[in-house]
Amino acid sequence: MKKTIVTLMLIFLFSHTAIAQNENDPYLNSELSVNERVNDLLSRMTLREKVGQMNQRAGKKYFENVNDTVSHQMLNMLSDLKEGIVGSFLILSEIDESNKLQKIAENSRLKIPFLNAIDAIHGHGWAYGATIFPTSISQASAFNPAAVEKINAATAKEMRATGHHWAFFPYMSVTRDPRFGRVGENYGEDPLLVTRLSVAAIKGLQGDDYGAPDKVIACAKVFLGDGQSINGLNLAPMDISMRTLKEIFLPPAEGCVKAGVRTVMAAHNEINGVPAHADPWLLTELLRDEWGFEGYVISDWQDIERLNTGHRIVDNYKDGVEIAVSAGIDVHMFGDHFVDELVELVEEGKIPESRIDRAVRAILTDKFKMGLFENRYVDKEAAKKILANPEHVQLALETARESIVLLKNENNVLPLSKSLNKILVTGPLANDNALVGDWVHTQPDENIITILEGIEDHVGSELDVEYYNPGDIYDIDEKTISEAVKKSENVDAIVLVVGGNDNRSDKDWTLNPRRKNRTGGENIARADIVLAGMQDDLAKALYKTGKPVIVILINGRPLAVEWISENIPGIIEAWQPGMQGGNAVAEVLFGDYNPSGKLPMTFPRSVGHIPVFYNHRPSTFLRHYTDSKPGFLYEFGFGLSYTTFEYSNLSFTDKVTSGDDVEVKVTITNTGSYSGDEIVLVYLNDEISSVTTPVKKLVAFQRVSLKPDEAKTVTLSIPSIQLALYNREMKQVIEPGDFQVMVGGLIDKFEVVE
Ligand code: BGC
């Protein structure tokens, strides 16, 4: 009897956790191949240790920083780490913390390092002193995939310098609702643009080999939806036809997978009644079986829990874990008890161990590939040299310039002349860090150039700049408005900076996701999209002074600024131009940079016009609202320049054999007096089709730089797939018939023949 007990104990000890690993174990030998090391390590792991690789925890500092006492979520974090059952962390924003936690991981039985994940959305914004690039919606206005790739390559470099390995980016949702708080994190409303920029971001982050010391793992999120929820709110259901899913929302996801994105994040939301986290069609059939994805899928924050607490499709957490893992979730983001529940589910035979092995194999592969067993710590001093280095800051400036969109320039009120005597710079966002957008933690104040600072630096002593702060967005009142009017008495022009604030750091740069004056960002949707507070009243009062008023918009979503657009002569959409935003805006304001951006998302006249997007079906506007002017405020693709461009010689073949790409040639001439970039947008319309198709859709684009009087002929290719539609049987086919091509005001057609 005693002997049996001893034997059982020995079996337990050997098969579970007690045996310390030997330095000579093959998986610790860096000379062996990644595969050999993974196989060896897997063979030594207990079930609990394997499941532990699927367990992602958040750091303690994060909760301290946001003043949150979610301490119950933290109870087991350290003990899990010591036990060797934490596969990855998220949001460890400080090097000291990640080094310390890596040390604890190294002292665990198998010494497995953790992957360190972070939301590096437009730069490595959670890190102190990082380069903060223009937000995604801003970057999208530049229609420049090469620049997006460079931004993300710089981001990857900064991430590795601070010990991070996994970026929760690109956010590849197509956004079709400006009420949504997260528009700024996305690339806009057009599937082609979103796909091309997301793929460029993946290239920048992962390179050809994400194991390289300056590359990281990318994560295509969110799969799928969230850009057109039923009410514009984060987490809310997507109720959407399969046709719209296939035409609009799936192509970017497929593009990311085909581009080799290593990880995918499931969406908070349900689609047509099935939560993404519980959808085997989405997470396995489509993603793996059809598209060939071989990486791993991470849940979004607390979304396995939410199958019970939010979606109500199960009545307890454990059933949620079973459904989610069976559907295809490989990593649980944040929280306790996942390991216990999943181990039990495997022991009960409800989830096969081979399913766990698949996930763990992929995760371990990455840790070996990235050399983390040999090199898991980073040096704080070395990191300082990489973060916001001059080359990256220069890139932040260049990309900010390209992202600015000139919306109105009546009587060439812009650019402003430096020979004016005095200007007034005012507005709640004139000297505010709102211009960095969401997902940016505390930064050194001197790193962020506000609009006021940019203008002051730019004009130096040439021009007198008066600044008046009318208060934060929601603090403007009659008193500050009349004060602003008073300040404008002796000036030649007024620069008014208004818009929204998505930045989750307070003015004094402490992190506070719930700061009171936010109007956008994660979980900050709006029921209206006019300017918040009394910003419009401020604009009206300043306009009444009769002085030329220039409005600069800082915002992360389209705004219904109808009055401003009808009355104010000069409007610059600066979006959220990042750390160098102030300099870029000043250059545009005074004509040292000719604006070239075009809108990646349509601006509606009011919230009542939503949903709104340019690629709508033909019958959408056969009738109009009785209480609104027809049309959009500004359509996708709109943007002015200080110069003028003329399009000519549009040419392509008359007849296209179904399945062939179409080459389009067009000449663009700079007919004005400024050098500048033009973004050539090629749209297509299938004239008569068996199911309805959009009045136009973007099928190709390219930036062209032209000096005054210069002409260039560009060739753009329309891939044959862009001619296809989903027929009534939902098969993707190209129907013979006429297709219109629209470029820069020119229209012509070709015929598709079988
Ligand atoms: C967001 C994700 C993000 C995650 C981690 C979630 O609330 O939806 O986009 O990656 O938090 O910060």
Side-chain angles (χ1 to χ4, degrees), residues 22 55 74 79 96 140 291 388 412 458 511 536 597 615 648 657 659:
N22 187 330
N55 182 26
M74 304 305 300
S79 58
D96 285 343
W291 294 346
N412 293 330
H458 198 77
L511 186 70
D536 242 342
N615 45 358
S648 57
T657 310

Side-chain angles (χ1 to χ4, degrees), residues 56-59 88-92 117-119 168 301 333-334:
Q56 180 169 94
R57 308 301 302 241
S88 52
F89 269 90
L90 83 158
I91 321 188
L92 299 179
I118 202 145
D119 292 278
F168 290 149
W301 183 272
M333 182 194 286
F334 177 67

Side-chain angles (χ1 to χ4, degrees), residues 90-91 119 121 126 168 171 182 185 221-222 234 265 268 300-301 333 439 522-523:
L90 83 158
I91 321 188
D119 292 278
I121 308 297
W126 282 95
F168 290 149
Y171 204 155
R182 310 189 70 171
E185 291 177 60
K221 72 184 190 187
V222 292
N234 201 19
M265 189 184 293
H268 290 306
D300 203 346
W301 183 272
M333 182 194 286
W439 296 104
E522 191 191 14
N523 295 320

Side-chain angles (χ1 to χ4, degrees), residues 76 136 227 265 352 356 362 507 724 740:
N76 302 334
S136 304
M265 189 184 293
I356 308 298
K507 274 261 179 57
Q740 273 186 344

